[in-house]
Amino acid sequence: MTNKRAIEGLQSRAIDVAPSITRVLANDAMGLEGLIPLWFGEPNQPTPQFICDAAAQSMANGETFYAEGLGRPYLREAIATYMSGLYGCEIGAERIAVTVSGGNALNLAFQSVLNEGDTVATLTPAYPNLLGIPTMQGARLITHPLEVRNGKWSLDVEAFLAAVEGAKVVLLNSPSNPTGFMLSAAEVKRIMGVLRERGTWLISDEVYGRLVYDGSKAAPSFLEASAPEDRLIVVNSFSKSWAMTGWRLGWLTLPPSLTPVVEKIAEFSISCAPPYAQRAGVVALGEGEDFVNHTNILYRDARDQVCNALRAYEAVTCPVPDSAFYAFFHVADVDDSVAVARMLIERARVGLAPGDAFFAPEPGWFRLCFAQTPDQLTEALDRLAPYLSSPATA
Ligand SMILES: Cc1ncc(COP(=O)(O)O)c(C=O)c1O
């Protein structure tokens, strides 16, 4: 029995904020034999050996102590060089802050610009932390829906810009978790131009920026449409493209005048990112291109396998994502996605994330992470088949 006496009557933002639905389901299913877990956003590949070797060598060299708050100078330089090359613009190391994950980067970004009661505007469906983090920091949220048009998630940019007028911060996540929606270069330029004119801050979560399936090297970035002193903060992570979710390493690209502010608040929480992980980060950026390109081919094939299979069911609507590694699909006649996700764990032994976790527009949405082997996906799809053929009776 849980003894809740210590927190009885306690009022705090942490008490009020809702726990992660997916995490609760996953914890309940922990240790369930034969379960195929497709709920978390995690590559199935191990971290490449050359990246692990760099960290091991760093530890062997005694790099196990505090480091600089904004990151080791050599990693900040390596990130600046990587970003400048990728986006064809000059980004100096003074704009880079190394963080302990993309999640930490998001927290630092919001902390550096938010005041109590400020308004943050964003799109739904969304990765839950994108709403949870500003809420935890006392912000008020405005959300605007993405829509499915012609079999794709899309955004009416002008309607969005009208809806977010007056917000202090706009938060965008392109490519998006869970939808795989990706802004075009023209949309990025238009949004940046309007927000610049208004003086609105833009936090752009680009952690899936390298997971694109249209043959381009990266998704359009707001860095390509901005100047250094624009009110733009870009969030990145090593987690997804370099298969490093457990390493907890990410970075921010900031206006130079905001960097000392981030340095100050990072000191209050993380102090610094682990130095051996930072050595690994340098190697990931410098030598990881083959890995990134190779896994993108695998993920594109996995996307096709999953989306083709799901789209064959009459009851299923599955917009095909151009980016990220999720199929976000709708099953007709489901009125409680969380209950169905629980039932699928028990009966099909497949772990899906219910759309409620992502502020889906209605019941019936589910997220499946397809960063898996073809065999695992075939097995999972086979197990789901009876429930997708006649979902109302499942
Ligand atoms: C949109 C988005 N942003 C940020 C993160 C955080 O990534 P991490 O903290 O692993 O770097 C995630 C993780 O799933 C995500 O989906």
Side-chain angles (χ1 to χ4, degrees):
M1 199 178 78
T2 323
N3 185 346
K4 290 197 172 159
R5 228 167 354 148
I7 63 163
E8 237 161 37
L10 175 65
Q11 296 202 327
S12 74
R13 292 203 192 110
I15 298 284
D16 293 342
V17 87
S20 155
I21 298 173
T22 311
R23 178 67 70 179
V24 170
L25 283 181
N27 283 351
D28 289 352
M30 200 70 87
L32 208 59
E33 196 134 335
L35 182 86
I36 303 179
L38 304 177
W39 36 37
F40 291 133
E42 200 150 60
N44 65 326
Q45 308 277 320
T47 306
Q49 192 57 44
F50 64 90
I51 296 178
C52 300
D53 289 346
Q57 189 59 55
S58 169
M59 279 192 237
N61 292 346
E63 295 182 334
T64 54
F65 296 96
Y66 291 132
E68 298 82 347
L70 288 171
R72 302 242 87 159
Y74 49 76
L75 178 55
R76 293 177 72 201
E77 275 300 337
I79 292 171
T81 304
Y82 165 80
M83 297 291 271
S84 302
L86 190 60
Y87 297 122
C89 46
E90 214 34 64
I91 295 170
E94 76 286 355
R95 296 182 61 190
I96 305 297
V98 176
T99 63
V100 182
S101 79
N104 173 236
L106 280 165
N107 271 280
L108 292 171
F110 279 113
Q111 280 172 339
S112 65
V113 297
L114 276 186
N115 240 337
E116 185 74 31
D118 283 342
T119 308
V120 174
T122 195
L123 293 166
T124 54
Y127 170 56
N129 296 14
L130 296 183
L131 279 75
I133 293 169
T135 302
M136 277 290 296
Q137 294 186 21
R140 286 181 300 121
L141 288 177
I142 300 174
T143 58
H144 183 84
L146 288 168
E147 292 157 346
V148 180
R149 262 191 248 133
N150 303 324
K152 293 258 176 205
W153 286 97
S154 67
L155 174 66
D156 180 336
V157 170
E158 297 311 318
F160 174 66
L161 287 170
V164 305
E165 182 136 33
K168 178 172 180 181
V169 181
V170 166
L171 166 66
L172 287 171
N173 170 220
S174 169
S176 144
N177 171 10
T179 59
F181 165 74
M182 181 166 71
L183 288 164
S184 70
E187 289 169 331
V188 161
K189 203 166 162 210
R190 170 76 184 144
I191 294 169
M192 192 68 232
V194 171
L195 297 187
R196 177 189 296 123
E197 224 163 77
R198 291 180 185 166
T200 308
W201 279 93
L202 172 60
I203 297 179
S204 177
D205 179 335
E206 301 183 5
V207 307
Y208 296 97
R210 297 300 309 280
L211 284 165
V212 280
Y213 307 121
D214 64 358
S216 44
K217 217 168 156 46
S221 167
F222 280 94
L223 289 167
E224 293 165 299
S226 63
E229 274 302 334
D230 275 330
R231 293 184 158 185
L232 168 69
I233 304 176
V234 176
V235 172
N236 282 104
S237 171
F238 286 89
S239 285
K240 312 291 177 176
S241 276
W242 293 273
M244 293 174 70
T245 53
W247 292 69
R248 315 313 295 136
L249 195 64
W251 73 92
L252 288 167
T253 307
L254 301 155
S257 55
L258 196 64
T259 309
V261 178
V262 169
E263 181 172 23
K264 196 169 53 173
I265 55 179
E267 174 61 26
F268 296 150
S269 52
I270 56 164
S271 296
C272 63
Y276 45 86
Q278 297 194 57
R279 284 279 183 203
V282 172
V283 173
L285 295 179
E287 297 168 36
E289 277 307 294
D290 286 350
F291 178 79
V292 171
N293 295 331
H294 174 68
T295 47
N296 274 2
I297 292 169
L298 299 180
Y299 297 154
R300 190 198 55 207
D301 291 348
R303 174 201 63 174
D304 292 344
Q305 179 187 357
V306 167
C307 291
N308 289 341
L310 291 174
R311 286 163 78 88
Y313 296 99
E314 211 177 305
V316 175
T317 309
C318 179
V320 179
D322 291 325
S323 49
F325 44 36
Y326 307 106
F328 195 58
F329 62 98
H330 186 260
V331 185
D333 299 327
V334 167
D335 53 20
D336 185 343
S337 307
V338 178
V340 170
R342 278 196 191 283
M343 179 271 289
L344 291 173
I345 294 166
E346 277 162 31
R347 297 202 209 154
R349 291 284 201 261
V350 176
L352 297 181
D356 305 49
F358 308 98
F359 313 95
E362 68 259 324
W365 288 93
F366 298 91
R367 191 192 74 175
L368 179 160
C369 176
F370 54 69
Q372 290 292 334
T373 61
D375 288 352
Q376 278 283 82
L377 292 173
T378 301
E379 175 65 26
L381 289 162
D382 284 351
R383 292 189 197 178
L384 290 174
Y387 306 95
L388 298 173
S389 304
S390 55
T393 55

